[in-house]
Amino acid sequence: MSTPRAVPSAPRPMSCDLTGKARIRQAALQLFASKGYAQASLRRIAQRAGVSLALIGHHFGSKVLLREAVDGWLLRTLTEAAVPGLDPRAPLSEAAMQLASGYEAVLAVEPDSRAYLRRAVLDDARGEGQVIALFLAQTQQLLRGADSVSRPADPQELRRWTARVFVHVFGPLVLESALQRNEALVAEWETTGGTAGEALRSQGVASWPPPTLVHRLPRYIDAGVSPSSRLVAL
């Protein structure tokens, strides 16, 4: 069994860039997360970023393109943090968990990004947004791109581990507040052989992943969507 590479313990903060363009992007991420894409106006984004509406138009062109820029930047940053901890010689199961750990290392110190991705799940369940499709495509591309000798030929196995990375990363994001409210109950169930999911369902918390998302996961992964048009090559 190969030894996993160490994941950086202190990733660079994603919001340290103070240029006008970066402030716009960060303000958009925060407002898209808190208000939702439809309710986050460009005027509000400009006010939060401390810039003019004209500057948003100059840098991004439109609200749609601004959201695409936020999605692309977030996924690039997650990938840059995750790739150093990915051992190309590891079995697929280990590589998938290494990748998930790399994503989590960044999100653990970025509450705005956690909130944005949590909202992305809700938007996707309504047929809006694209970041989940891009996340799955990027994850599968990274897992496929490692040494083919250590990778199974069965594409179903690759899709299965891509989906597991997604659930591993997004599950806690979506259930974060519910888990905090029910911490004692979850601990009790787990010590008696139950699971956190069962504990949450017993309290009326919606199941994870949402049924609409479960239905879409195979379609996203099987489609072979390439994120290359939206993500800058690393």
Side-chain angles (χ1 to χ4, degrees):
M1 180 180 296
S2 59
T3 302
R5 294 180 183 175
V7 176
S9 57
R12 179 178 62 86
M14 300 164 77
S15 56
C16 66
D17 188 345
L18 299 180
T19 64
K21 185 174 183 179
R23 292 203 312 273
I24 294 168
R25 190 179 56 211
Q26 190 69 20
L29 181 147
Q30 292 170 346
L31 286 173
F32 290 159
S34 61
K35 303 291 184 183
Y37 174 76
Q39 299 302 317
S41 68
L42 288 179
R43 186 174 300 278
R44 277 189 167 186
I45 292 170
Q47 289 173 346
R48 174 163 294 199
V51 301
S52 66
L53 277 172
L55 191 61
I56 294 181
H58 171 73
H59 283 306
F60 299 100
S62 69
K63 186 178 175 182
V64 170
L65 293 177
L66 175 55
R67 180 170 65 176
E68 290 184 1
V70 170
D71 290 347
W73 168 80
L74 177 55
L75 290 172
R76 284 196 305 273
T77 308
L78 288 172
T79 302
E80 287 169 356
V83 165
L86 183 60
D87 184 355
R89 299 161 300 178
L92 183 58
S93 58
E94 290 184 25
M97 291 303 98
Q98 290 166 8
L99 192 56
S101 295
Y103 291 146
E104 289 176 321
V106 175
L107 294 175
V109 295
E110 288 293 336
D112 289 339
S113 297
R114 290 202 306 272
Y116 182 81
L117 291 175
R118 186 183 304 116
R119 171 74 69 166
V121 173
L122 301 176
D123 287 346
D124 188 84
R126 292 191 293 266
E128 306 167 6
Q130 62 170 6
V131 70
I132 291 175
L134 290 173
F135 177 90
L136 287 165
Q138 183 73 353
T139 297
Q140 180 168 262
Q141 181 174 301
L142 289 171
L143 292 177
R144 184 192 291 120
D147 186 359
S148 60
V149 175
S150 63
R151 293 289 179 264
D154 184 3
Q156 281 191 329
E157 191 70 6
L158 180 60
R159 291 194 296 270
R160 186 177 301 116
W161 281 104
T162 299
R164 288 183 183 181
V165 171
F166 172 83
V167 173
H168 188 88
V169 174
F170 278 75
L173 292 178
V174 173
L175 294 177
E176 190 171 50
S177 60
L179 287 168
Q180 290 170 351
R181 289 195 304 269
N182 295 273
E183 183 177 357
L185 179 65
V186 170
E188 179 183 346
W189 274 71
E190 289 180 339
T191 56
T192 57
T195 67
E198 290 168 340
L200 292 170
R201 284 192 293 274
S202 74
Q203 295 295 295
V205 178
S207 62
W208 169 260
T212 52
L213 198 54
V214 171
H215 176 71
R216 292 176 184 207
L217 277 174
R219 174 172 58 82
Y220 278 154
I221 298 172
D222 287 339
V225 178
S226 171
S228 58
S229 62
R230 300 261 170 82
L231 302 179
V232 176
L234 297 175

